[in-house]
Amino acid sequence: MSDKKYQTYISIGKEYQKRQHERWDSSIKLYKGEVTQLRKQRLKGWAHLVEVNFTRPTIDDMRPNIIFQTPKVIISPSQEMAPQQLATQALMVENRINAIQEELGLGDEFSEGTQDALLLGNGIIKLGMTGDVGYDQDD
């Protein structure tokens, strides 16, 4: 790839990032109810102008209906007639993962990610688990 083409891609990416951040900033200001350009201007013939923020109460009312508890993980063997041992192991892993979610308080993370999705259009929840050799399950 030529150096000029590479620089073009970089500038396009930076411009996209700038527009995205401006959109997110305006959405956050709207949610917080900060003064908008409409409220700053004086309209001819209007005695006064009352601006009501419906964004915050709408999002705050929708969020509990979308995610009202920590999502539960369900694990089942892929075979229809799986041996009892596989079904038992799947249940043990399922219970352990759900317990980890509760211990770490991931319900709050899911709730915040949902709020971001409603407000910004994108809600990212990043989770990580390790399966390192020598990992102590009791720790």
Side-chain angles (χ1 to χ4, degrees), residues 35-104:
V35 176
T36 64
Q37 294 302 319
L38 176 65
R39 195 161 59 187
K40 286 181 183 177
Q41 66 184 339
R42 304 245 181 228
L43 300 175
K44 186 178 179 182
W46 286 50
H48 61 282
L49 180 65
V50 177
E51 184 179 83
V52 179
N53 181 6
F54 287 111
T55 306
R56 185 178 201 117
T58 302
I59 289 175
D60 290 347
D61 285 345
M62 286 175 65
R63 185 172 52 172
N65 293 325
I66 294 171
I67 183 158
F68 53 90
Q69 63 184 10
T70 305
K72 300 296 180 206
V73 174
I74 298 172
I75 300 174
S76 60
S78 60
Q79 301 170 353
E80 208 171 293
M81 297 295 290
Q84 183 61 37
Q85 182 181 2
L86 285 178
T88 303
Q89 288 175 346
L91 184 62
M92 287 172 47
V93 171
E94 175 184 315
N95 289 337
R96 183 64 184 143
I97 290 174
N98 288 325
I100 289 171
Q101 284 192 126
E102 291 298 322
E103 287 173 20
L104 297 177

